[in-house]
Amino acid sequence: MNLAFVCLQAQAGADYSFLIMMVAIFAIMYFFMIRPQNKRQKEIQNFRKNLVVGQEVITAGGIYGKVKEIEDSVVVLEIASGVKIRIDKNSIFANAAATQQQAK
């Protein structure tokens, strides 16, 4: 009976250490993976809300262009002189001027 009591206590201790380890792994994943991704998505969302005519942007497909018109969910980009395309506002990814400055 004494041996069974010792074995049960050992198993209970292992359960708590496993639980602590799982919580630690989740916390590490949250702070190093989930949180930065959510922060980046909020930055992109704010950038899309604050678009202005004349701003140079990059689309998710890698097209550089200048914003000519902004409608509810559609943006008209001028990608070359006299060449305009209509794209969904959600496909605008980044500010071209800021991206070029970071590359230097």
Side-chain angles (χ1 to χ4, degrees):
M1 180 153 158
N2 196 11
L3 182 61
F5 183 70
V6 171
C7 289
L8 289 175
Q9 283 183 340
Q11 286 180 349
D15 289 339
Y16 289 125
S17 65
F18 178 74
L19 181 63
I20 291 170
M21 186 180 305
M22 292 304 290
V23 169
I25 289 172
F26 181 74
I28 290 169
M29 286 180 58
Y30 176 76
F31 284 110
F32 286 109
M33 295 175 72
I34 298 169
R35 188 170 179 238
Q37 182 66 24
N38 287 341
K39 185 178 178 182
R40 179 75 177 133
Q41 286 177 348
K42 285 182 184 178
E43 289 175 1
I44 292 172
Q45 199 72 11
N46 286 336
F47 173 71
R48 289 176 184 153
K49 285 181 187 177
N50 298 325
L51 280 177
V52 293
V53 174
Q55 187 174 13
E56 293 184 4
V57 296
I58 304 172
T59 66
I63 299 173
Y64 286 71
K66 185 180 275 191
V67 176
K68 289 296 179 180
E69 295 177 31
I70 301 173
E71 298 173 12
D72 288 335
S73 63
V74 177
V75 175
V76 177
L77 287 183
E78 183 177 37
I79 56 175
S81 61
V83 180
K84 296 179 183 178
I85 59 173
R86 292 171 48 98
I87 62 166
D88 188 31
K89 198 173 192 177
N90 290 328
S91 68
I92 292 180
F93 183 69
N95 187 353
T99 306
Q100 290 173 353
Q101 288 178 354
Q102 288 178 354
K104 290 181 182 180

